[in-house]
Amino acid sequence: MDKNKRGLSRRSMLAGTAAGVIAPVVVSASAGSAPAAAAGMTRNITVYADYVPGTTRVGYGLEPGKPTIPGPLLECYEGDTLVIELVNNTDQRLSIHPHGVNYDTKSDGSPFNDSFNKPYETKTYTWKTRTAYQAANGFWMPGSAGYWHYHDHAFGGDHGTVGLMKGLYGGLIVRKRGDLLPSKQFTVVFTEMWINHQVAPNTPIFEANLGERVEFICIGHGNLMHTFHLHAHRWADTRTGMLTSATDNAPILDNKTLDPGNSFGFQVIAGDGVGPGAWMYHCHVQQHSDDGMSGVFLVRNADGGMPAGAQEAIDRFKGHQHGTTSSTPNATGASAHSHH
């Protein structure tokens, strides 16, 4: 089975909390809301920027010399502060710039504000979050809760373009207290014609057992418009992908636009109503799907066993024609694909 899975169980995330991946509590697929955590926690995270061994790609990681693409999924609750110590282990300047949270100009992560790490420099970035509050005029100001992301803004230029093309990006979740927590999480990043810097048949195979609560974090980068489609599973077009009541009439989706710089997330119950099996996820811009922007969401049996017919489906997927070599990212993280 493909080992390139960008999924983390709640328990593995808890084990990594000291290293910087945040998971306040463990919740099973059938559990209720998460118990309230202490307000206003400060969470210190060390993130390392390194070259991916054997390539000129660059990624973020929680250990020196072990970058991943995407980078680690960072989480907190509204009201928390994230203090990111970024260690630049490369010979180029780079930074870390977040979406959806508050920061001062020193933590902006952009050359515009002279906010970046010089080669081999360590620098601290502070991200703050807040809960919704009522303004003096009676209107409510939004809190920070949402599915966000972070990325470089300084590698090879002043706008982060080169860093993004090399793999310097990751997911960021800010939760409301009481949100349901998943058993599995998958970060899916569409950049140009790649999914997590890969093209089919080498795209990630995401795995969950039947009935597990699964969270997808979808992020768009690059220059192309995409859509994210997940076979046989649906979600509500809300902050969490779930309905708040039986009378909540939020639109129900199985396909959503994912433009550059956009992000969204949702939760589903793996195989709910359809059973276990190998289910496709892909960009629904048809040329993009043809050129390798597709992958597999494998829903195993409840006991973790392989469902009947699933391995054959995966073998067929790997045997399909997926675009041309011109859409395959090379060791530099660049692509010769002409559709820009």
Side-chain angles (χ1 to χ4, degrees), residues 21-280:
V21 183
I22 308 306
V25 295
V26 177
V27 174
S28 68
S30 59
S33 61
M41 293 183 65
T42 297
R43 304 178 184 275
N44 297 285
I45 305 170
T46 300
V47 175
Y48 300 87
D50 286 284
Y51 286 107
V52 177
T55 76
T56 60
R57 295 188 203 171
V58 188
Y60 298 110
L62 295 177
E63 298 180 60
K66 296 183 179 180
T68 61
I69 300 176
L73 177 60
L74 307 180
E75 297 186 56
C76 67
Y77 282 118
E78 282 187 324
D80 289 350
T81 296
L82 297 181
V83 179
I84 310 294
E85 182 182 59
L86 178 63
V87 181
N88 181 5
N89 287 333
T90 79
D91 56 357
Q92 302 291 320
R93 73 175 192 181
L94 50 75
S95 69
I96 189 166
H97 167 76
H99 287 222
V101 296
N102 294 345
Y103 45 86
D104 62 22
T105 55
K106 293 180 181 179
S107 294
D108 183 34
S110 71
F112 173 85
N113 272 316
D114 198 31
S115 174
F116 56 83
N117 292 52
K118 297 177 183 178
Y120 307 110
E121 181 183 31
T122 296
K123 180 179 173 62
T124 299
Y125 299 79
T126 302
W127 305 344
K128 297 183 178 181
T129 68
R130 68 183 185 191
T131 58
Y133 68 94
Q134 191 168 20
N137 58 13
F139 288 94
W140 281 82
M141 298 296 291
S144 305
Y147 293 94
W148 308 104
H149 58 104
Y150 62 88
H151 58 85
D152 167 69
H153 219 299
F155 193 107
D158 292 331
H159 304 287
T161 304
V162 176
L164 285 171
M165 293 302 102
K166 285 184 173 287
L168 283 168
Y169 52 74
L172 170 64
I173 301 176
V174 181
R175 300 191 187 277
K176 289 181 180 290
R177 288 178 172 79
D179 280 353
L180 283 171
L181 300 182
S183 297
K184 294 283 184 68
Q185 296 172 288
F186 304 121
T187 303
V188 187
V189 183
F190 286 2
T191 307
E192 303 300 49
M193 304 300 290
W194 317 323
I195 300 175
N196 293 4
H197 256 63
Q198 300 292 333
V199 294
N202 299 316
T203 45
I205 295 180
F206 300 125
E207 296 187 23
N209 292 349
L210 180 67
E212 284 191 298
R213 180 173 292 279
V214 177
E215 185 169 60
F216 284 85
I217 301 91
C218 303
I219 302 166
H221 284 311
N223 301 291
L224 302 178
M225 176 275 240
H226 301 291
T227 69
F228 177 84
H229 174 49
L230 179 62
H231 284 203
H233 296 76
R234 295 160 300 285
W235 66 92
D237 194 17
T238 63
R239 179 180 62 83
T240 62
M242 293 178 285
L243 298 174
T244 58
S245 71
T247 57
D248 187 340
N249 292 318
I252 307 302
L253 309 177
D254 67 2
N255 187 79
K256 188 169 182 176
T257 300
L258 189 57
D259 288 334
N262 279 5
S263 58
F264 61 84
F266 60 89
Q267 295 182 11
V268 295
I269 304 301
D272 184 38
V274 296
W279 304 105
M280 186 177 288

Side-chain angles (χ1 to χ4, degrees), residues 276-278 301 305-312:
N301 297 329
M306 182 66 83
Q311 186 60 59
E312 291 81 359

